[in-house]
Amino acid sequence: MASLRESADRALKMLRSLPRVQLGNLRPNPNSKKKSKRGRAQHGGDKHGAGNKGSGQRQNYMRLGYETGNNPFYLRFPYEPYYKGHHMRRQYPPISLLQLQVMLDTNRIDSTKPIDLTTLYNTGLFKLSPTSREFGFQLTDEGADKFKSKICIEVQHAKESVIATIERNGGVIRTAFYDLKSLQMLINPRKAFERGEPIPKRMMPPQDAIAYYTAAENRGYLANPEEISKHRLVLAQKYGYKLPKIEEDPEYETLTAMKDARQIFFGLEPGWVISLKDKCIIKPKDFPPDS
């Protein structure tokens, strides 16, 4: 105990004699730090140790978010929101009324005949990829003020303004659904006919699309014709134009020519086999009823 008390007294005497601790008199313990000699000029990068990186090995850490350059990544790349199940959504590539009018004026499409998905695809200007969930075309209202043709057209999706433009000119529009197998047959019928495959039945819309294609305001192909006639008048009153009487039109049969809900091609029924080699159509005597 006496030795501990003596050592404590000596420590206190030493602290009284030492100067006050300041930044100016702080020093490391002797021989605790060894100063390395740094090479100069061309010898500055001779050593490649962990503590002395040579030339070309120095890392430049950028600010977080600026890894792509002077602009942060959220300004450099466009933002596209992610939707759950977006890869399963049905896609409808657009065709504008302006494009349709140009095709009619240049005789790529005959306005005296019904226009459907086959007609639009055979122009060679539009492509469909069923493997990419593309189920047909949607008609947009771009160039609605320049559209003046009277046509009978079938598309897969159309807005109210597009329907009003078609009907204001005395035309008829319907929205119809095509399943993937029917689209494959429609896009490349020659390949299917060479294999001797019969024309399949067009399937009914899936559960989430039935409401659209049975609605008269959408001019769905499964809607009640009487309801469609009522909505034609309602739309004319809404947009302020006089509804033409298609019943008195000399081209009434052409304007009202619509395919059956199970039919893919005009003039060809499901179950028929087209023989390109024999140049004939083989019609079965009976075909399984609608499932």
Side-chain angles (χ1 to χ4, degrees), residues 212-263:
Y212 182 84
Y213 292 108
T214 56
E217 55 268 22
N218 300 325
R219 305 301 186 266
Y221 73 120
L222 300 177
N224 188 348
E226 295 181 359
E227 291 294 325
I228 291 179
S229 299
K230 294 179 182 178
H231 280 83
R232 280 171 57 89
L233 182 58
V234 170
L235 195 62
Q237 294 174 349
K238 180 178 180 179
Y239 281 82
Y241 61 87
K242 185 178 180 181
L243 183 65
K245 295 182 179 180
I246 59 174
E247 296 82 2
E248 301 176 0
D249 197 298
E251 301 177 359
Y252 175 74
E253 294 184 0
T254 302
L255 291 174
T256 55
M258 292 293 170
K259 290 180 288 188
D260 185 73
R262 296 287 191 164
Q263 197 175 356

Side-chain angles (χ1 to χ4, degrees), residues 267-278:
L268 298 176
E269 297 294 334
W272 291 5
V273 177
I274 312 300
S275 177
L276 299 179
K277 182 178 180 181
D278 300 331

Side-chain angles (χ1 to χ4, degrees), residues 185 188-200 265 268 272-277:
M185 170 69 75
N188 194 355
R190 185 181 185 88
K191 183 177 180 180
F193 294 160
E194 288 176 350
R195 291 178 178 178
E197 297 180 5
I199 300 175
F265 303 101
L268 298 176
W272 291 5
V273 177
I274 312 300
S275 177
L276 299 179
K277 182 178 180 181

Side-chain angles (χ1 to χ4, degrees), residues 95-204:
I95 297 177
S96 66
L97 287 171
L98 181 61
Q99 291 175 306
L100 184 60
Q101 185 63 61
V102 171
M103 288 187 290
L104 291 166
D105 294 341
T106 55
N107 295 325
R108 282 183 176 268
I109 295 179
D110 189 0
S111 61
T112 62
K113 296 180 180 180
I115 302 170
D116 63 343
L117 189 58
T118 306
T119 308
L120 297 172
Y121 189 82
N122 287 341
T123 60
L125 301 177
F126 310 102
K127 297 298 180 182
L128 274 180
S129 178
T131 56
S132 300
R133 306 291 295 176
E134 293 180 354
F135 280 75
F137 297 111
Q138 61 170 317
L139 198 58
T140 62
D141 56 359
E142 181 184 359
D145 55 337
K146 300 179 181 179
F147 190 81
K148 305 299 179 183
S149 299
K150 181 175 63 175
I151 58 173
C152 172
I153 187 169
E154 177 191 88
V155 291
Q156 282 59 64
H157 198 278
K159 296 196 302 184
E160 185 183 74
S161 57
V162 174
I163 297 173
T165 302
I166 298 293
E167 294 180 350
R168 181 178 57 199
N169 295 325
V172 175
I173 182 171
R174 290 289 184 272
T175 55
F177 175 80
Y178 286 83
D179 59 283
L180 292 179
K181 187 175 181 181
S182 300
L183 287 172
Q184 291 287 2
M185 170 69 75
L186 187 146
I187 289 173
N188 194 355
R190 185 181 185 88
K191 183 177 180 180
F193 294 160
E194 288 176 350
R195 291 178 178 178
E197 297 180 5
I199 300 175
K201 286 184 178 180
R202 183 160 40 132
M203 295 292 101
M204 301 301 289

